[in-house]
């Protein structure tokens, strides 16, 4: 355990924990758009920047991203000092110029009092803020179906050569972690389309409704987890119904015996 | 052959010197990238052809050496005749026979091949008498232009690998680190971090594996210090790395060479193979317990790949993007192991420090910035090229003594140091000593050694715009302040260039810059606003001139200038053809005129007019 001060309050935190966790546990709200518990910290959005100092630093201050800065004994942290707020506001202002149509960015910016960007707005700018969450979760799954290509402002997330990727299993996890909802996928009946690739969805062997599961996902799960052969064949409703039926049969049979 | 002890090393050296002594004259032909581009290989070939037919006592084709770069590439191909040091510039193949018959056979100087001093028009016979070289102090570049870089025996013949021999046999690893620390050597790649301290930290981390990596990415536009060293004296870099590896206890090293440096790759590869062959790399170096090997990693060609964490990811085969971690790479670097990363020039300093001792070394330069620094001096100076000067020398001496002053005696305006992360210093700073701390304190930095001299025809707003444009293209795009912030900053500067800026824009630039500096993930963003901030600090009036009077005093910013033709026009019509926009009309031998609606301010007419008739306002 280490002891540190956050916004004037003394706090204990487990050694090795990242500052952002500690801060959030105090119910202090700071934005952290590229952070997700499932993947390693990345430090791309810089919104979680906080001010740190120490008694011994003689008034000197430093600015660090709390999502990847481990807590230290004696650290003095300010999460909303005027300089921190200025950095955060400028970043939001810049994001509002590059992704002007994103609701998430608009809402966050307005929380910080920014209603319109003061910079040159890229009207054609899409909602991707390049937080890298999608590519990181996909690689965490071991798929590496998407990655960033190009650099600077031309950078974007894509599959190799903008073609359907052989390794994509259609799990849509990337779309689910995307903080701005930029990754879209279509789903109609037993069809799903994501990243230029069409997937068939497995139908429930009982009722025929979609299991929201691609055969590739099923294979992925069965290869990595010890699941019964037929585990992923029925929808939750049907499974429940089967269970009830089974009980009913047992009850029926016991009645017979009596 | 395998060198197993000091005696055998000495023997190789003696053999080389004995062989060398049989030549009364030697011809050193510069075969660096610059001279090769000007036809140096053809000169070497011509020597070979001619010498097949001739017999000269004390000279044969063996005494013709293809050397590395002298740093004076604009005068290439260079041929130097030793021992006199007769210095021929811009040599052509047709002159080779004459050089052999006149200078090599008889020792007679060929006047018309000599270099003309651009300052006073005098011919200069000997190489050390050229101003460009006289004012330099060549320690790191000592072998460049003197030895054939692809011949390990020549390196050994000139005292090479004696430092390694000394370190391995007569010093403990800790003693090597102490010696480097005491020498005061600081990293030449940009930051100026103490090399000894870096090695010590790495050595102190508990670990099975450790790496030594050399940064040869050299991304600064126009800089070629590291390229020239790797091409012209690759063994000096290898020797420095082997000594570093011994000091910190590393067994594997990498040299990261930029993709655009094919010749450097060839020479370094050859040097590595030669070292392996004679037992200076691989198992049991010099017959000791110490084993170490080096591999080349080819750069991905992006500026940001020179940043330490991006470089290490690139070496490991990942995308070369900076990694955000508050843990230094000396502790956890390549493949998560403790790693020493130093610049090419830093390593090239190491052998001579070990050889001559820290006490000798720290007397060169200033107390806090010991040694020399190699710069690539370019821009509006008479002598451009690669130079090595002691730290603490003033900017004035570099520009006016080594560089020979400003072309056409125009007024000096600014000098840009440190590449895209550095800044511009005005004439009031010409007497500043050039060292790490002084440059930083004044808003610029040492960087890896780019130095661009500017005259009064350079617009400082345009300079800031140029560097920002470079950085916007080179930002890896990972973090928001750099990716979006530099882009917006560039837009604001462009607005000023176009005459549409306002005074508030200047304040906004400063505020945005501060956030980019504080908020960016890596050094590229953190130092990216430097060229802008330094020009704003020292040349604010020039910005205001653009804003308040819509005027570009240097006559550079296209939206703010017009070209006209004055009465000096002879009607020669030379300007009509280069004007692709056909804005110029006029009858032969009569005054020509420029149609302002059609003119795109390209300046082509001004460049061709021989009568100073085209004016820019
Ligand atoms: C954007 C960026 C580009 C860099 N490019 C280079 C480079 O081309 N060569 C180099 O030696 N160092 C470069 N550096 C500095 C390196 O990160 C590192 O500090 C240096 O190689 C350490 O070696 P030294 O201590 O010998 O200087 C760069 C840094 C940044 C932030
Ligand atoms: S849907 Fe495809 S791209 Fe997205 S996380 Fe799953 S495998 Fe990766
Ligand atoms: S698509 Fe979404 S998750 Fe992926 S980088 Fe862009 S904003 Fe982040
Ligand atoms: S500062 Fe620029 S170059 Fe560095 S990580 Fe951020 S975007 Fe990439
Ligand atoms: S500046 Fe260019 S476009 Fe204008 S008149 Fe001269 S050559 Fe033509
Ligand atoms: S959450 Fe920390 S930098 Fe994005
Ligand atoms: S390449 Fe010949 S002087 Fe530079």
């Amino acid at each position: 355990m280490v002891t540190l001060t956050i916004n004037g309050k003394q706090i204990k935190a487990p050694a090795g924990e990242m500052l952002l966790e500690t801060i959030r546990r105090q119910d202090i709200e700071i934005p952290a758009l590229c952070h997700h518990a499932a993947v390693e910290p990345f430090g791309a959005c810089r919104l979680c920047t906080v001010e740190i100092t120490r008694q011994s630093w003689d008034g000197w201050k430093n600015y660090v991203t709390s999502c990847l800065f481990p807590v230290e004994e004696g650290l003095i942290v300010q999460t909303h000092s005027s300089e921190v707020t200025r950095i955060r506001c400028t970043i939001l202002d810049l994001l509002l110029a590059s992704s002007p149509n994103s609701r998430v960015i608009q809402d966050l910016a307005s929380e910080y009092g920014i209603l319109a960007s003061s910079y040159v707005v890229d009207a054609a700018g899409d909602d991707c803020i390049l937080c890298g969450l999608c590519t990181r979760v996909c690689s965490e799954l071991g798929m590496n179906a998407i990655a960033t290509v190009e650099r600077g402002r031309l950078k974007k997330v894509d599959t190799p050569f903008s073609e359907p990727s052989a390794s994509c299993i259609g799990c849509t996890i990337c779309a689910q972690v995307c903080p701005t909802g930029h990754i879209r996928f279509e789903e109609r009946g037993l069809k799903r389309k994501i990243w230029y690739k069409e997937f068939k969805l497995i139908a429930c062997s009982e009722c025929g409704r979609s299991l929201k599961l691609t055969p590739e996902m099923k294979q992925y799960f069965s290869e990595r987890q010890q699941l019964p052969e037929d585990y992923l064949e029925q929808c939750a409703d049907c499974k429940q119904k089967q269970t009830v039926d089974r009980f009913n049969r047992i009850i029926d049979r016991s009645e017979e015996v009596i | 052959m395998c060198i197993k002890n000091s005696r055998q090393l000495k023997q190789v050296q003696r053999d080389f010197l004995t062989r060398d002594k049989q030549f009364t004259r030697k011809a050193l032909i510069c075969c660096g990238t610059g001279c090769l581009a000007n036809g140096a290989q053809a000169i070497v070939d011509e020597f070979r052809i001619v010498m097949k037919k001739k017999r000269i006592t004390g000279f044969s084709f063996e005494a013709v050496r293809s050397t590395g770069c002298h740093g004076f590439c604009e005068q290439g191909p260079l041929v130097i005749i030793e021992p006199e040091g007769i210095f021929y510039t811009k040599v052509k193949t047709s002159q080779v026979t004459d050089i052999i018959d006149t200078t090599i056979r008889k020792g007679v100087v060929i006047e018309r091949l000599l270099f003309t001093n651009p300052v006073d028009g005098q011919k200069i016979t000997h190489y050390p008498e050229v101003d460009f070289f006289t004012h330099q102090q060549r320690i790191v570049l000592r072998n460049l232009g003197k030895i054939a870089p692809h011949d390990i025996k020549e390196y050994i013949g000139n005292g090479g690998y004696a430092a390694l021999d000394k370190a391995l046999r007569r010093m403990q690893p800790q003693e090597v680190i102490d010696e480097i620390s005491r020498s005061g050597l600081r990293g030449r790649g940009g930051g100026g971090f103490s090399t000894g301290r870096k090695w010590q930290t790495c050595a102190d981390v508990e670990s099975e594996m450790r790496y030594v990596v050399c940064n040869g990415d050299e991304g600064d536009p126009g800089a070629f210090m590291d390229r020239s060293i790797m091409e012209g004296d690759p063994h000096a870099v290898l020797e420095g790395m082997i000594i570093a590896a011994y000091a910190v206890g590393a067994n594997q090293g990498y040299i990261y060479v930029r993709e655009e440096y094919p010749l450097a790759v060839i020479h370094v590869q050859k040097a590595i193979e030669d070292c392996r062959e004679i037992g200076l790399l691989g198992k049991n170096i010099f017959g000791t317990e110490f084993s170490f090997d080096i591999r080349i990693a080819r750069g991905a060609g992006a500026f940001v790949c020179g940043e330490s964490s991006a470089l290490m990811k690139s070496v490991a085969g990942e995308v070369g993007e900076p990694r955000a971690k508050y843990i230094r790479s000396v502790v956890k670097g390549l493949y998560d192991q403790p790693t020493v990363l130093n610049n090419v020039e830093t390593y090239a300093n190491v052998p001579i420090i070990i050889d001559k001792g820290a006490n000798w070394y720290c007397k060169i330069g200033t107390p806090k910035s010991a040694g020399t620094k190699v710069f690539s001096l370019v821009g509006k100076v008479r002598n451009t090229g690669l130079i090595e000067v002691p730290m603490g020398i003033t900017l004035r001496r570099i520009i006016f003594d080594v560089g020979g002053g400003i072309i056409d005696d125009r007024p000096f305006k600014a000098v840009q140091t440190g590449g895209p992360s550095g800044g511009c210093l005005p004439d009031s700073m010409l007497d500043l000593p050039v060292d790490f701390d002084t440059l930083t304190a004044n808003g610029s930095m040492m960087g890896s050694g780019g130095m661009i001299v500017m005259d009064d025809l350079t617009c400082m707003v345009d300079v800031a715009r140029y560097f920002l444009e470079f950085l916007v293209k080179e930002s890896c795009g990972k973090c928001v302040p750099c990716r979006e912030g530099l882009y917006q900053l560039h837009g604001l500067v462009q607005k000023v260039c176009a005459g549409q800026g306002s005074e508030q824009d200047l304040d906004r630039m400063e505020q945005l810059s501060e956030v980019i500096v504080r908020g960016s993930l890596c050094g590229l963003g953190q130092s990216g606003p430097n060229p802008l901030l330094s020009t704003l600090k020292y040349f604010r009036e020039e910005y205001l001139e653009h804003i308040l009077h819509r005027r570009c005093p240097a006559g550079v910013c296209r939206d703010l200038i017009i070209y006209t033709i004055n009465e000096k026009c002879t009607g020669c019509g030379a300007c009509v053809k280069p004007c692709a926009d056909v804005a110029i009309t006029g009858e032969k031998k009569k005054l020509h005129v420029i149609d302002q609606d059609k003119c795109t301010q390209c300046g082509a007419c001004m460049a061709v007019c021989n009568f100073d008739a085209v004016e820019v306002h």
Side-chain angles (χ1 to χ4, degrees), chain A residues 134 137-138 141 143-146 167-175 194-195 199:
Chain A
C134 52
V137 287
C138 188
L141 286 174
M143 297 299 127
N144 291 306
I146 47 174
S167 49
C168 177
I169 57 170
C171 66
T172 72
I173 300 293
C174 50
I194 187 165
W195 293 113
F199 294 90

Side-chain angles (χ1 to χ4, degrees), chain B residues 187-189 198 215 218-219 303 306-308 341-343 346 523-524:
Chain B
R188 303 299 197 236
K198 190 184 275 185
N215 191 341
E218 193 161 59
F303 177 63
E307 191 274 342
S308 52
L341 173 71
N342 279 125
N343 168 262
T346 314
L524 190 148

Side-chain angles (χ1 to χ4, degrees), chain A residues 19 41 47 49 65-66 85 109 121 128 134 145 179 193 205 234 237:
Chain A
L19 203 41
L47 284 166
T49 298
T65 42
S66 57
T85 309
V121 173
C128 176
C134 52
K193 196 172 174 198
S205 61
Q234 282 120 24
D237 283 354

Side-chain angles (χ1 to χ4, degrees), chain A residues 20 31-35 42-49 65-68:
Chain A
L20 181 66
L33 288 181
C34 68
H35 175 79
F42 195 55
C45 74
R46 321 301 286 173
L47 284 166
C48 68
T49 298
T65 42
S66 57
C67 66
L68 42 76

Side-chain angles (χ1 to χ4, degrees), chain B residues 175-192:
Chain B
E175 288 176 284
V176 176
I177 297 180
D178 291 342
E179 196 72 12
I180 296 296
S181 296
R182 280 198 302 115
S183 76
L185 178 65
R186 293 169 69 172
R188 303 299 197 236

Side-chain angles (χ1 to χ4, degrees), chain B residues 236-533:
Chain B
V237 183
L238 296 190
E239 189 175 0
M241 286 179 75
I242 306 172
I243 294 172
Y246 171 71
V248 304
N251 299 110
Q252 181 62 50
Y254 292 87
I255 299 193
Y256 190 80
V257 191
R258 181 177 184 77
E259 190 65 33
E260 291 90 332
Y261 288 175
L263 191 62
V265 172
I266 293 170
H267 283 188
V268 171
Q269 187 62 44
K270 172 83 166 60
I272 291 174
E273 282 161 18
D274 288 350
C275 278
R276 285 190 190 136
E277 200 177 309
I278 65 170
L280 295 184
L281 276 177
K283 286 219 157 62
N284 304 108
I285 294 178
F286 266 151
T288 65
E289 291 293 291
F290 173 59
S291 301
F292 176 66
D293 208 347
I294 297 177
R295 254 179 276 173
I296 294 184
R298 303 284 287 267
F303 177 63
V304 74
C305 286
E307 191 274 342
S308 52
S309 65
L311 183 145
M312 288 180 200
K313 278 175 66 173
S314 184
V315 171
E318 293 170 56
V319 179
E321 220 172 59
R323 177 179 65 167
K325 280 241 165 92
Y326 291 99
I327 181 157
R328 282 173 303 144
S329 58
V330 255
V331 179
K332 206 172 170 190
L334 186 59
Y335 302 115
D336 285 339
Q337 304 302 320
T339 304
V340 161
L341 173 71
N342 279 125
N343 168 262
V344 169
E345 190 185 332
T346 314
Y347 284 122
N349 268 288
V350 169
I352 199 150
I353 294 174
I354 296 300
D355 197 23
K356 301 204 172 186
N359 288 340
W360 172 84
Y361 188 83
C362 67
K363 287 200 191 85
I364 305 166
T366 68
K368 283 200 171 146
S369 299
T372 58
K373 178 77 193 86
V374 180
F375 288 100
S376 122
L377 181 65
V378 296
K380 302 291 176 64
V381 275
R382 288 201 175 88
N383 304 322
T384 62
L386 200 70
I387 60 164
E388 183 177 354
V389 287
M391 296 267 193
I393 188 176
T394 61
L395 285 165
R396 188 185 299 283
R397 285 204 50 207
I398 294 181
I399 295 164
F400 290 91
D401 293 348
V402 184
I406 310 294
I407 296 176
D408 291 338
D409 280 320
R410 298 203 71 93
F412 165 87
K413 183 165 183 179
V415 54
Q416 210 277 351
T417 67
S421 317
C424 295
L425 300 172
D427 58 356
S428 60
M429 308 252 151
L430 271 177
D431 291 308
L432 282 186
V434 175
D435 63 58
F436 288 107
D437 311 303
T438 309
L439 288 179
T440 308
N442 288 284
S444 187
M445 62 185 236
M446 184 75 87
S448 53
M451 193 175 271
I452 308 171
V453 180
M454 301 165 188
D455 65 7
D456 62 333
L457 298 179
T458 316
C459 168
M460 301 316 286
V461 187
D462 185 61
V463 168
R465 186 198 57 77
Y466 166 82
F467 281 111
L468 280 171
E469 187 174 293
F470 174 85
L471 289 169
V472 168
K473 275 203 211 108
E474 292 297 331
S475 158
C476 84
K478 181 168 177 172
C479 70
V480 184
C482 170
R483 179 183 73 233
E484 303 299 338
L486 288 176
Y487 166 76
Q488 296 287 353
L489 204 54
H490 175 255
L492 286 166
V493 177
Q494 199 138 36
K495 233 172 111 188
V496 176
C497 290
Q500 287 156 2
S502 65
E503 280 186 83
Q504 291 97 289
D505 284 339
L506 298 188
D507 299 334
R508 300 201 58 209
M509 284 181 201
E510 275 167 341
Q511 282 160 10
L512 179 54
S513 293
E514 234 172 272
V515 172
I516 299 173
V517 170
R518 290 218 160 121
S520 292
L521 191 161
C522 86
L524 190 148
Q526 286 159 8
S527 59
N530 279 354
L532 171 78
L533 291 173

Side-chain angles (χ1 to χ4, degrees), chain B residues 105-175:
Chain B
R105 202 195 287 266
K106 303 186 202 131
V108 175
V109 173
I110 307 167
E111 196 74 14
R112 71 196 150 86
L113 290 181
L114 293 177
F115 173 65
T116 312
N117 185 348
V119 180
D120 56 15
Q122 295 287 312
K123 293 272 185 197
I124 297 171
T125 309
H126 301 111
Y127 158 74
E129 290 155 10
V130 179
D131 284 349
F132 182 73
F133 296 110
T134 316
H135 300 282
Q136 295 192 39
Q137 182 171 6
R138 296 194 150 214
I139 293 175
V140 174
L141 305 181
R142 64 193 177 281
N143 286 329
L144 269 89
K146 295 231 164 69
I147 70 168
H150 49 264
D151 186 359
I152 190 170
K153 292 194 183 123
E154 192 155 351
Y155 182 70
I156 295 175
N158 282 280
Y161 289 114
L164 178 65
D165 185 60
K166 176 175 173 184
L168 255 48
R169 276 181 227 292
R170 286 187 275 146
M171 296 168 86
Q172 291 299 312
Q174 186 58 46
E175 288 176 284

